[in-house]
Amino acid sequence: GLCPHGACGSEQSPIWKRTNDRLTGLGVPVLDWLHLLAASHDDCTWAEGLACDDARPNGRGHQKMFASVDQALFEPAKVRAVLARQEAELDKETVCFSDGGGFQISYAPGRGDLIISNATKNEYLLNSGWGQLQDALAAAKGQSPWSLRRGLYVSYDAKGHCAAVALDGSGRIASGDQTAVPPGATLVLQAAKSLVASSAVKTIFEAGPLSILLCAYSGKLLVLNAATFEYNVHPMWNEARVATRRLTEGIYEDSSGQPFRTAIISLHGLQSRIKVPAGSMLALTRTGPLSSVERIALLPLGDRCSIRMLLHK
């Protein structure tokens, strides 16, 4: 397994965690030392007092590592049983949560799909504050490490219905927005990277966990954020603004009514700010041309605003 490193910063720590998740998700014995020795869940440097330098643990660190090794993991019969169970589960959907009333969440490891079924007459809202759901997902992940893989899962169909759910390394929901599951609906969410690579969308802009896509059959603008923090997409982000020049000019917005969910696209590209919550997807529809909204000039007041406007222009 991976160990922390003293030089892990904000860019390296997510890579450390993703690699560790892949190792623990193989279904074979792994010495999961990263969570044991790291400073925190989001910081993959050494915890205080456990390292002699950036790359190596000290005596106390070695003691913690040795004490955490479960030798029973390496029994050949147990390893073979785990691998056999993994192979058997790859081709079927495994129920990870059910409330007993018609709502359940399943996962298909072979396809990497997250399936959310609501057979009730009520709308359900998925969010990170649903404790019973979170505990069930974490337990399912613990029993089958190859399931409920970390990442952003999205659903988008020809009718324009969209949904997004983000899972963290423990299998729990980590979405920044609530996801609505309509009554009588079944949502099949695929990994965001699968949507980005499909022929159903055209990639307009991509920067790490952020993707701006144009849907081929609806013309909607999809903005995906697979990061664990909010993204601000604005005109002063030069690469994003230049990339959006390829879009049809007009006003793009979603139906949520929330602020910063409107993209104003001119011949110069993006001219407004969009805030994309962590682990979410925005579906923006072109609602009209630029002439459909009243525009005013913004005059900077004060030295700070003046400099920012000059830099932007």
Side-chain angles (χ1 to χ4, degrees), residues 94-209:
T94 303
V95 176
C96 303
F97 171 77
S98 175
D99 70 348
F103 181 84
Q104 71 177 31
I105 296 179
S106 306
Y107 191 81
R111 304 191 307 271
D113 290 344
L114 187 68
I115 303 99
I116 306 174
S117 302
N118 181 11
T120 73
K121 297 181 180 179
N122 304 310
E123 181 182 74
Y124 274 72
L125 293 176
L126 295 181
N127 60 75
S128 56
W130 188 350
Q132 184 182 5
L133 168 64
Q134 296 285 62
D135 292 342
L137 294 178
K141 174 72 171 179
Q143 293 176 358
S144 302
W146 47 85
S147 69
L148 298 174
R149 301 185 189 103
R150 177 204 293 268
L152 178 64
Y153 294 81
V154 297
S155 171
Y156 187 78
D157 59 28
K159 296 181 180 179
H161 300 148
C162 65
V165 173
L167 300 180
D168 63 17
S170 65
R172 294 181 173 90
I173 292 175
S175 302
D177 266 359
Q178 292 191 120
T179 299
V181 186
T186 297
L187 305 180
V188 180
L189 294 91
Q190 60 180 329
K193 61 182 179 181
S194 299
L195 176 64
V196 173
S198 72
S199 59
V201 297
K202 178 182 179 181
T203 301
I204 301 299
F205 176 71
E206 196 167 8

